[in-house]
Amino acid sequence: MPTKSAPPPDAKSDQKAFLVAAKRILSAGKTRLTWDVLAAILGVEPRAMKTYRMPAASSDYRTMPKLLVEKIEALVAEAQAPSPAGAAAPPRDPYVDWKPRSDPLKLLPASLAALVIRQARQVFMGGGATMVSGVDRLWSGVSGLGDEDRKAMALVSRARLTLGLSDVGAEIHQLLAQCTKPLGEWLPLPAVKEAGLNAVCLIDAEDYMPTLEAEELSEGFGGMTGLLEEQVFAAFQDSLSKHSAKDANDYYTAVRTFVVRNPVATRKQLLKFLAALPSAVWACIEQQFYEPLPGALVAGETATLCGHCNNVMTAQPGGLRCMTAACAAEHAATPGRTLPAADLLRLNRSLRKYWLEPGIDEIRLADRLAARGHTVRMYPNRDMVDLDLGEGSPVGIDLKAYSSPELLGERLRRRPGGLKNYKTQLLVIPDWMARRVPHYVERVSACLEGSSIRALTLSDTVEVLGHA
Ligand SMILES: [Zn+2]
């Protein structure tokens, strides 16, 4: 066994002995230096520290990154250095460097999400920038990096290095490409897992937009929550504001329901629907909500729509696939009508994300409740909740498909929104999401403890509410 003054064993030949000796030297004169405190001093996750001091033969054993070995060697050398004569330098106390309340890795997910949102704002709102698909050049418009961006990137680099993984934080495009993958895959930090973020992607791999989870995480992080949405919907709200509250509510519900049921519509169908609306509302929807079908989605002169949700289907190696994620998650591909592509309009990107995707399950629930005799109101009082069971009904329902039950539970506990206007407050999880994420309802319920909101799957909600 090495003594206090002996140099520690070589990290390469025996990593465990190296760490044990380093810990003893660094604890000299201190009451007790635990492995967790040592990990904090070194900026390493305690769990990673554990893998470093496993026997080399163990399957959990991990080799320490070179950077970390150097850091330990430097600390040991400093602790062993004789004090300069007469200087009476106080012995270095590793505890001084340890600030348990400010573990920056805990802030990493939010700070990274905020970076994604800021970059998206540059690309989508900066003007002139175009998106280029592909992994290494995800967003070609990304250019300026601010202080906050660099801090987030450095934090990713540090986290990956302490985990013994390659550095992907140094180059913005490489980092953004990682952000299309679930956090648990490329940032397997305890802080990520404990916050329930392992399955969360910050950028949607299909449309290269920040996910709703990224916006939620960046909330309160100087983010731009809802900015894209605000721009698109400001004109719509403005057009409604010229009418009485009751009319405005009715128009809102009619428009949003139409949009969710018709992600792709023929010009004739759209004009027929719009004819019943006041001209300002009509103009807003015609000019801002729908756009011509992009050529890339069209096979020849025609396009095939999904038999379930009416969105356009895209050709895949295995056949046609519906482009609505919430639809494809629940149903096998079911081709419906095939129509001349030139006649078709589709919803713009923001509406697809904020209204269509969540709306698929909202409509699914509404239709099943209506079939059981309930009076269902969609988006009452301009979206106070997703649906309720008629004027004066005690039941208010919000439906959410976050991939992280913890993120969702925390969010609703902080901001229950319109649900607080109801006696019976139901949070509904789509069946496909509850199947995909283990123990979803239990996990979200645990986060909602003490709140009046009750979480249920969509099918359980239909059972619980029964027949009218
Ligand atoms: Zn579909």
Side-chain angles (χ1 to χ4, degrees):
M1 290 294 260
T3 65
K4 265 185 196 172
S5 57
D10 177 15
K12 275 201 190 103
S13 56
D14 189 343
Q15 187 168 286
K16 188 180 176 193
F18 169 82
L19 279 169
V20 169
K23 177 167 170 275
R24 181 173 304 117
I25 292 163
L26 293 174
S27 330
K30 309 293 172 318
T31 43
R32 192 161 163 264
L33 178 65
T34 64
W35 283 112
D36 283 358
V37 172
L38 180 59
I41 292 166
L42 294 168
V44 174
E45 286 300 319
R47 204 166 304 183
M49 193 64 156
K50 220 173 202 168
T51 65
Y52 297 148
R53 48 178 224 276
M54 286 285 168
S58 158
S59 62
D60 290 333
Y61 171 84
R62 300 273 284 283
T63 309
M64 282 193 288
K66 196 160 161 272
L67 225 62
L68 182 58
V69 175
E70 286 169 6
K71 193 169 178 183
I72 297 170
E73 285 170 345
L75 282 174
V76 167
E78 200 176 323
Q80 288 184 319
S83 309
R92 184 190 163 83
D93 185 347
Y95 288 85
V96 171
D97 289 344
W98 182 48
K99 299 183 188 72
R101 290 189 169 276
S102 62
D103 176 5
L105 292 184
K106 284 214 164 55
L107 297 176
L108 180 50
S111 125
L112 188 56
L115 173 139
V116 163
I117 301 288
R118 282 193 299 270
Q119 297 304 327
R121 171 192 261 168
Q122 277 193 22
V123 172
F124 297 109
M125 327 219 64
T130 52
M131 275 195 308
V132 174
S133 59
V135 176
D136 54 337
R137 289 278 146 179
L138 200 56
W139 293 344
S140 69
V142 168
S143 51
L145 291 172
D147 280 354
E148 281 298 313
D149 299 327
R150 290 184 199 288
K151 270 186 220 160
M153 292 167 75
L155 213 49
V156 171
S157 294
R158 179 178 149 191
R160 295 266 308 180
L161 289 172
T162 60
L163 290 164
L165 301 169
S166 65
D167 181 12
V168 297
E171 206 279 318
I172 185 71
H173 292 102
Q174 197 188 0
L175 177 59
L176 292 174
Q178 293 290 327
C179 290
T180 61
K181 295 190 284 186
L183 284 172
E185 267 179 31
W186 65 281
L187 270 182
L189 297 168
V192 167
K193 182 165 187 248
E194 280 154 21
L197 301 175
N198 269 351
V200 167
C201 302
L202 297 179
I203 298 176
D204 186 303
E206 202 135 278
D207 69 6
Y208 300 127
M209 289 280 279
T211 58
L212 294 173
E213 287 93 337
E215 289 185 27
E216 185 58 41
L217 273 172
S218 71
E219 159 89 8
F221 222 85
M224 57 147 209
T225 308
L227 185 65
L228 292 167
E229 184 180 31
E230 274 166 31
Q231 284 221 336
V232 175
F233 299 113
F236 178 51
Q237 292 289 2
D238 190 50
S239 72
L240 292 176
S241 68
K242 297 173 179 69
H243 301 273
S244 72
K246 162 135 193 358
D247 283 350
N249 293 347
D250 290 348
Y251 294 141
Y252 183 96
T253 293
V255 169
R256 188 154 171 179
T257 310
F258 177 87
V259 157
V260 174
R261 292 196 188 271
N262 299 282
V264 171
T266 63
R267 276 171 216 281
K268 200 172 152 197
Q269 190 187 0
L270 184 61
L271 290 175
K272 192 175 160 207
F273 168 69
L274 292 176
L277 296 172
S279 59
V281 181
W282 164 336
C284 168
I285 291 156
E286 195 192 14
Q287 287 158 23
Q288 301 198 28
F289 280 24
Y290 283 88
E291 62 190 21
L293 203 58
L297 290 177
V298 176
E301 304 284 289
T302 60
T304 300
L305 305 189
C306 171
H308 293 290
C309 75
N310 283 317
N311 201 351
V312 68
M313 298 190 84
T314 177
Q316 297 275 296
L320 288 170
R321 178 177 64 91
C322 174
M323 292 203 70
T324 311
C327 179
E330 195 70 60
H331 302 290
T334 313
R337 294 172 297 161
T338 294
L339 297 168
D343 284 352
L344 296 175
L345 298 165
R346 79 153 171 179
L347 282 179
N348 74 32
R349 180 194 296 271
S350 294
L351 283 149
R352 294 201 304 272
K353 170 175 166 177
Y354 289 103
W355 281 11
L356 172 65
E357 284 291 350
I360 293 294
D361 286 290
E362 290 156 4
I363 294 269
R364 207 174 261 156
L365 177 60
D367 290 349
R368 285 178 66 179
L369 291 174
R372 293 184 169 219
H374 290 286
T375 307
V376 183
R377 292 197 305 177
M378 301 292 295
Y379 318 114
N381 302 314
R382 269 168 282 174
D383 202 27
M384 186 163 74
V385 286
D386 291 335
L387 46 133
D388 70 12
L389 299 186
E391 181 90 53
S393 146
V395 181
I397 301 174
D398 263 340
L399 196 140
K400 302 260 182 244
Y402 283 33
S403 53
S404 163
E406 285 77 16
L407 192 60
L408 174 58
E410 275 310 308
R411 181 247 153 104
L412 279 179
R413 209 162 59 158
R414 272 188 292 124
R415 290 182 283 138
L419 279 179
K420 62 182 182 300
N421 299 308
Y422 294 84
K423 195 160 166 280
T424 307
Q425 307 170 5
L426 300 183
L427 167 63
V428 175
I429 311 302
D431 292 322
W432 55 268
M433 181 58 84
R435 280 196 301 271
R436 186 179 291 177
V437 178
H439 311 295
Y440 196 111
V441 171
E442 290 88 331
R443 284 163 64 187
V444 75
S445 301
C447 295
L448 284 170
E449 220 175 84
S451 129
S452 336
I453 301 172
R454 180 178 174 199
L456 291 165
T457 63
L458 194 150
S459 291
D460 286 347
T461 307
V462 174
E463 289 310 312
V464 165
L465 294 174
H467 288 269

